[in-house]
Amino acid sequence: MNYRHIYHAGNFADVLKHAVLARLVTYLQQKEKAFRVLDTHAGIGLYDLSSEEAQKTGEWRDGIGRLLDGNLPPEIAAILAPYLSSIRTLNPGSELTLYPGSPKLARMLFRPQDRLSAMELHPDDYETLHRLFDGDFQSRITELDGWLALGAHLPPKEKRGLVLVDPPFEKEGEYERLVDGLARAHRRFAGGVYCLWYPLKQGAPIKAFHEALKALDIPKMLCAELSVRSDRETTGLSGTGLIIVNPPFTLKGELDVLLPFLKGRLAQDRFASARCFWLRGEERASGGA
């Protein structure tokens, strides 16, 4: 209940997470039929990077700040276009002040038929999020533990959807909880697209986490990881990971292009690394990674 994303908004983890989120939303829009985005840990939705909290850490400068400061190769610009165009819309001048959280970003990309369900448990953050979307008939904001939404709010009535699970990882056992939550959600909504975020840091049980996910026997799970520095000299966040269930067929190729670029652009020391591979899916079936 003490986590505040304002200290971390726009950092390298947000860059990867939100770039992928934007790609997934635009992929779902290839079909005319409506879909719903379910954001289980939504935060406040919009972050002021000029605030005292954001300025205190300045994490955004080594994240989104590095993307907007320089020219991008054409293939990278194309992949990042939905994400970066939303940020530029919020910041029409030369100064970067506002950064969209995942519910705001998704909503900015919506067509008239698309819908958002955003969950936030913290009372103050819920009130802020609710005010942000007040009067927006395409969005439903609920004060709720997001883990509960993986049961009660699935499947969506649209029968098409993207579920973003982005917990703060404040408590012990969150990796296990993420596995259990996905298992429960997938039983109810097997055809949905899922995007699960997790931190990379010293001592994190990543191998066990991956093995537990593979044991769920979900047919298609793609993993993307980006580390910007060594975890040997810090107990804080050194990298970021995403698990994408039922990814669009184009996403693996896009991440194979995007991740090496992000590794180079966002690196904070020489130990930066990136990888994208199938936990379960086509390449595993054909003998690949």
Side-chain angles (χ1 to χ4, degrees):
M1 296 291 288
N2 294 321
Y3 179 83
R4 286 293 188 277
H5 193 67
I6 183 59
Y7 291 101
H8 315 290
N11 69 359
F12 70 89
D14 269 0
V15 166
L16 178 60
K17 175 177 62 184
H18 291 151
V20 170
L21 172 64
R23 297 307 301 171
L24 294 174
V25 168
T26 55
Y27 170 78
L28 286 167
Q29 291 172 341
Q30 291 181 6
K31 294 183 178 180
E32 183 63 26
K33 187 178 178 183
F35 64 87
R36 184 171 295 270
V37 171
L38 176 64
D39 191 338
T40 64
H41 299 76
I44 63 173
L46 188 63
Y47 299 90
D48 181 359
L49 299 183
S50 68
S51 68
E52 180 180 350
E53 295 90 346
Q55 291 292 320
K56 182 177 181 180
T57 60
E59 289 187 18
W60 62 271
R61 294 188 179 91
D62 287 328
I64 186 59
R66 294 194 186 184
L67 289 186
L68 297 178
D69 283 347
N71 293 327
L72 302 178
E75 65 273 22
I76 299 298
I79 294 171
L80 292 178
Y83 169 51
L84 295 183
S85 64
S86 299
I87 294 172
R88 292 186 176 113
T89 297
L90 288 171
N91 299 276
S94 59
E95 187 177 358
L96 176 61
T97 301
L98 296 176
Y99 185 84
S102 49
K104 178 66 173 178
L105 175 63
R107 179 64 184 89
M108 292 181 72
L109 296 170
F110 277 1
R111 305 165 300 179
Q113 64 266 44
D114 303 325
R115 297 292 184 268
L116 169 70
S117 291
M119 316 296 163
E120 177 52 49
L121 181 60
H122 193 286
D124 293 341
D125 289 356
Y126 162 75
E127 290 296 335
T128 302
L129 185 68
H130 188 270
R131 286 195 299 271
L132 180 65
F133 287 97
D134 188 33
D136 180 3
F137 74 93
Q138 288 182 246
S139 303
R140 178 184 299 170
I141 312 303
T142 306
E143 187 175 2
L144 181 72
D145 183 345
W147 295 111
L148 300 177
L150 295 176
H153 289 255
L154 292 175
K157 66 179 182 179
E158 294 83 3
K159 307 303 181 185
R160 298 182 69 225
L162 164 60
V163 181
L164 176 65
V165 187
D166 178 21
F169 278 81
E170 289 184 293
K171 302 177 181 178
E172 292 292 328
E174 292 285 66
Y175 292 93
E176 294 83 358
R177 203 173 186 185
L178 202 53
V179 174
D180 294 341
L182 175 60
R184 184 169 70 255
H186 191 264
R187 285 194 295 268
R188 297 179 62 92
F189 186 39
V193 178
Y194 294 84
C195 186
L196 317 178
W197 179 82
Y198 59 97
L200 301 178
K201 55 185 179 180
Q202 189 178 77
I206 302 304
K207 183 176 180 180
F209 173 58
H210 286 172
E211 291 300 319
L213 286 168
K214 286 190 283 187
L216 296 180
D217 204 27
I218 294 173
K220 288 189 177 182
M221 287 191 286
L222 185 65
C223 177
E225 292 183 343
L226 171 68
S227 293
V228 297
R229 61 177 178 265
S230 169
D231 65 2
R232 295 181 180 181
E233 298 180 1
T234 178
T235 57
L237 192 70
S238 60
T240 182
L242 296 173
I243 302 295
I244 304 101
V245 174
N246 296 326
F249 73 94
T250 55
L251 187 62
K252 174 65 164 62
E254 290 177 349
L255 287 172
D256 285 341
V257 173
L258 179 63
L259 282 169
F261 169 80
L262 292 180
K263 170 192 167 184
R265 182 64 66 93
L266 304 182
Q268 297 179 17
D269 67 21
R270 64 187 180 90
F271 296 103
S273 64
R275 60 177 183 163
C276 181
F277 62 97
W278 291 97
L279 276 178
R280 294 187 62 88
E282 297 169 1
E283 291 186 9
R284 290 182 59 82
S286 61

